[in-house]
Amino acid sequence: MPDTLERLRAILAEVTDLNRATAVLAWDQETYMPPGGVQNRAEQFSTLSEVAHRRFTSDEVGRLLDEAEAANAKLDFDSDEASLIRVTRRDYDQARKLPSELVAEIAHASSTARPHWQKARHESNFGLFAPYLEKNVELNRRVADALGFEKRPYDALLNRTEPGLTTDELEAIFDELKTAIVPLVADISRRAEAVDDSVLRHGFDPDQQLSYALETVTKLGYDLERGRQDISTHPFSIAFGPGDVRITTRVNRDFFNECLFGSIHEAGHGMYFQGIGRNLDRTNLWDGASPGVHESQSRLWENLVGRSLPFWNHFFSSLQRTFPEPLKGVDAEAFYRAVNKSYPSYIRVEADEVTYNLHVLLRFELENDMLEGRLKVRDLPEAWNETFKSYFGLDVPNDREGVLQDIHWSFVGFAEFPGYTLGNIIGAQLMEKIRSEMTDLDHQIERGEFGQLLGWLQENVYRHGRKFTPNELLERATGRPLTPKPWIAYVRKKYGALYGLRLDKD
Ligand code: ZN
């Protein structure tokens, strides 16, 4: 029944256009909009998202899906058509399960809670935020109930972001990570002085950092014919379609890592967007497979490529020509060591590659404890500080640097943190497979050649968009489901060498 699919595609194209128009407005708000624009912009967002939501959740889409499913039952699972019907059905059912009163209540609660969270954080006083968080926990719970779950409420929330993954599976993966990282972090802390990163604070001209970063991401494969880089407080990437995928960065004269690695990170997201098949354009399939898979690409390019020794063996001489003063007497290896310094710190967004996952584990555990009623919101700071101490060996000095640091709990968005750690794990799992097929990868990187690596990722990950769940994608790309083992092996080897650790088992 070709007409059914045609009609469905036409509606999805309209919804996609509306969402992309919203994205352009969001990009503008974060980059160039004057402060006075906030109120009007909020109205525009609300109108556009309301129209898109109504269009997508209409009875007509439900009818077309029913017809399309009946007429196309025999299609190959991997085909674009079967995938479009399957994924749209999932999105449609989830969107329809949330009653509009609950959606409105969530929007209202989030906008109410945010200023109280800001004030509480500013004054480092959790009590000011506690009643709003209590409300948000209750709303998260109601979202989970509305979406439905078999075992744990977190399953329902996780299924929206990382379809196919259960809380129990994630818990097992996180336990394996914890067992490996906690002692590694302790070992690294004991040998903190083995890596000196003072060179990163020698003062790097901001304009030159920006142009160097842009030049670098272009060499990696970020296409400026279909992209651009601007400045924003928090770097992000955003796509308006295959022909326009933008990134932002920030720059700090006294800390080199922010601009270059921020740019590489966002360019990783950007190259993913730029590589999604044009055949999937203007449908629900034109996006990353999940936040975790998206993050695997930013982190693969930022950490597994950008923070590797072969990378600096290639780039350091041009970096030194660009910044002769701050880099006087420094060599590629010393610089490689500096950009990889690891240390336990209080703030998640400033954490390094090794310690980062512990910040995520902590939040994952506490969100589950609150959702399942084991932890009362008023006891949250104490639970935070206690767990933090056991993971990092540090006493949290105040709520601002502890439980109040992230914006996430000020809106009703539990289950968003795991994507960051899944990104690390998936990136390493893909890289292990890539290395088994491209045995001279390090030499290619050393020569500044990234085309073959990008080609592999485009072929095995990017072009599929959202056709497959994270596990379906990993099975196809690497031959096995999600596993933390490659990431654990990677950090143990890399940081063992950097810090001169004697690690007994592998
Ligand atoms: Zn990211």
Side-chain angles (χ1 to χ4, degrees), residues 215-252:
E215 215 173 284
T216 306
V217 298
T218 314
K219 283 182 186 148
L220 298 179
Y222 175 65
D223 179 3
L224 284 179
E225 276 297 309
R226 302 184 287 139
R228 55 177 288 130
Q229 174 167 273
D230 294 271
I231 296 187
S232 64
T233 324
H234 300 286
F236 64 94
S237 64
I238 195 159
F240 314 139
D244 192 349
V245 175
R246 305 186 188 186
I247 59 174
T248 70
T249 190
R250 61 181 164 193
V251 62
N252 180 346

Side-chain angles (χ1 to χ4, degrees), residues 262-450:
S263 294
I264 298 177
H265 181 103
E266 298 311 331
H269 286 300
M271 288 187 278
Y272 188 175
F273 278 130
Q274 289 181 336
I276 301 174
R278 282 183 185 263
N279 47 315
L280 308 178
D281 190 23
R282 295 179 86 213
T283 72
N284 287 32
L285 300 180
W286 199 91
D287 202 346
S290 77
V293 177
H294 232 305
E295 199 64 15
S296 80
Q297 292 316 299
S298 51
R299 283 165 198 257
L300 184 149
W301 287 101
E302 177 194 351
N303 293 328
L304 307 186
V305 176
R307 281 192 168 86
S308 71
L309 185 56
F311 180 91
W312 287 107
N313 283 340
H314 176 75
F315 279 99
F316 188 74
S317 55
S318 70
L319 189 74
Q320 202 166 32
R321 279 196 302 277
T322 313
F323 302 100
E325 246 339 279
L327 294 176
K328 201 188 286 169
V330 181
D331 64 16
E333 186 169 352
F335 198 75
Y336 157 75
R337 294 175 65 80
V339 299
N340 282 293
K341 186 169 177 69
S342 168
Y343 44 89
S345 59
Y346 298 108
I347 305 295
R348 175 183 60 86
V349 294
E350 292 165 9
D352 59 82
E353 210 182 357
V354 186
T355 58
Y356 193 96
N357 294 321
L358 290 180
H359 289 272
V360 172
L361 264 54
L362 166 77
R363 289 154 176 80
F364 169 75
E365 288 170 16
L366 295 175
E367 284 186 352
N368 270 293
D369 288 346
M370 287 189 282
L371 267 184
E372 294 176 6
R374 284 186 299 276
L375 175 63
K376 296 267 176 286
V377 166
R378 63 166 179 275
D379 300 325
L380 179 63
E382 212 184 321
W384 177 288
N385 296 349
E386 211 171 280
T387 317
F388 196 91
K389 171 100 183 181
S390 75
Y391 288 178
F392 295 89
L394 296 175
D395 289 304
V396 178
N398 53 56
D399 290 347
R400 193 201 341 239
E401 290 170 88
V403 67
L404 288 172
Q405 64 181 271
D406 298 307
I407 195 170
H408 300 58
W409 287 344
S410 77
F411 51 81
V412 187
F414 276 18
E416 287 194 6
F417 288 113
Y420 302 120
T421 285
L422 288 171
N424 286 327
I425 296 173
I426 295 169
Q429 186 173 341
L430 290 169
M431 194 50 124
E432 184 187 68
K433 178 69 179 174
I434 292 167
R435 285 190 177 281
S436 77
E437 290 181 13
M438 294 167 51
T439 47
D440 68 334
L441 180 66
D442 283 342
H443 292 113
Q444 293 184 27
I445 294 177
E446 224 145 17
R447 292 193 300 267
E449 295 164 10
F450 302 96

Side-chain angles (χ1 to χ4, degrees), residues 169-216:
E169 286 165 347
L170 196 54
E171 209 164 58
I173 289 170
F174 282 5
D175 278 343
E176 197 173 338
L177 278 182
K178 193 158 66 179
T179 308
I181 315 172
V182 172
L184 182 62
V185 168
D187 285 346
I188 290 174
S189 304
R190 274 192 289 277
R191 296 195 35 87
E193 73 299 336
V195 173
D196 174 12
D197 70 346
S198 55
V199 60
L200 305 174
R201 297 178 171 79
H202 284 178
F204 293 81
D205 177 72
D207 287 336
Q208 280 187 314
Q209 283 193 62
L210 286 167
S211 52
Y212 191 84
L214 190 58
E215 215 173 284
T216 306

Side-chain angles (χ1 to χ4, degrees), residues 18-288:
L18 287 165
N19 290 335
R20 287 175 178 175
T22 307
V24 179
L25 295 176
W27 171 84
D28 173 69
Q29 173 160 13
E30 298 299 324
T31 50
Y32 296 107
M33 191 184 82
V38 172
Q39 180 62 32
N40 289 132
R41 190 53 49 92
E43 290 152 5
Q44 294 151 9
F45 284 140
S46 134
T47 301
L48 280 170
S49 60
E50 159 74 30
V51 174
H53 182 77
R54 209 172 339 120
R55 194 86 184 97
F56 182 59
T57 56
S58 64
D59 293 340
E60 187 187 6
V61 171
R63 220 168 29 244
L64 290 168
L65 276 172
D66 289 342
E67 284 173 25
E69 281 165 346
N72 296 284
K74 291 204 180 67
L75 280 179
D76 174 26
F77 184 92
D78 287 16
S79 70
D80 288 355
E81 290 75 19
S83 303
L84 179 69
I85 298 167
R86 185 174 67 243
V87 173
T88 306
R89 164 62 74 189
R90 195 174 71 216
D91 293 345
Y92 179 78
D93 286 352
Q94 282 181 349
R96 291 269 292 202
K97 274 181 186 164
L98 292 182
S100 47
E101 311 82 64
L102 181 57
V103 175
E105 209 179 325
I106 288 170
H108 184 256
S110 299
S111 59
T112 316
R114 182 141 172 204
H116 293 278
W117 165 73
Q118 279 167 330
K119 188 171 193 302
R121 189 170 82 142
H122 185 70
E123 294 176 18
S124 197
N125 178 354
F126 179 75
L128 297 176
F129 176 55
Y132 302 93
L133 180 55
E134 253 161 44
K135 178 72 186 168
N136 285 352
V137 172
E138 183 216 311
L139 286 167
N140 271 298
R141 179 70 213 209
R142 279 169 56 196
V143 169
D145 288 339
L147 293 173
F149 56 90
E150 270 177 33
K151 211 169 160 202
R152 303 176 64 175
Y154 208 85
D155 289 336
L157 307 178
L158 196 58
N159 197 38
R160 279 206 296 187
T161 49
E162 303 291 334
L165 190 64
T166 69
T167 314
D168 285 351
E169 286 165 347
L170 196 54
E171 209 164 58
I173 289 170
F174 282 5
D175 278 343
E176 197 173 338
L177 278 182
K178 193 158 66 179
T179 308
I181 315 172
V182 172
L184 182 62
V185 168
D187 285 346
I188 290 174
S189 304
R190 274 192 289 277
R191 296 195 35 87
E193 73 299 336
V195 173
D196 174 12
D197 70 346
S198 55
V199 60
L200 305 174
R201 297 178 171 79
H202 284 178
F204 293 81
D205 177 72
D207 287 336
Q208 280 187 314
Q209 283 193 62
L210 286 167
S211 52
Y212 191 84
L214 190 58
E215 215 173 284
T216 306
V217 298
T218 314
K219 283 182 186 148
L220 298 179
Y222 175 65
D223 179 3
L224 284 179
E225 276 297 309
R226 302 184 287 139
R228 55 177 288 130
Q229 174 167 273
D230 294 271
I231 296 187
S232 64
T233 324
H234 300 286
F236 64 94
S237 64
I238 195 159
F240 314 139
D244 192 349
V245 175
R246 305 186 188 186
I247 59 174
T248 70
T249 190
R250 61 181 164 193
V251 62
N252 180 346
R253 177 184 290 275
D254 297 313
F255 190 48
F256 176 83
N257 283 3
E258 276 185 25
C259 182
L260 182 70
F261 290 107
S263 294
I264 298 177
H265 181 103
E266 298 311 331
H269 286 300
M271 288 187 278
Y272 188 175
F273 278 130
Q274 289 181 336
I276 301 174
R278 282 183 185 263
N279 47 315
L280 308 178
D281 190 23
R282 295 179 86 213
T283 72
N284 287 32
L285 300 180
W286 199 91
D287 202 346

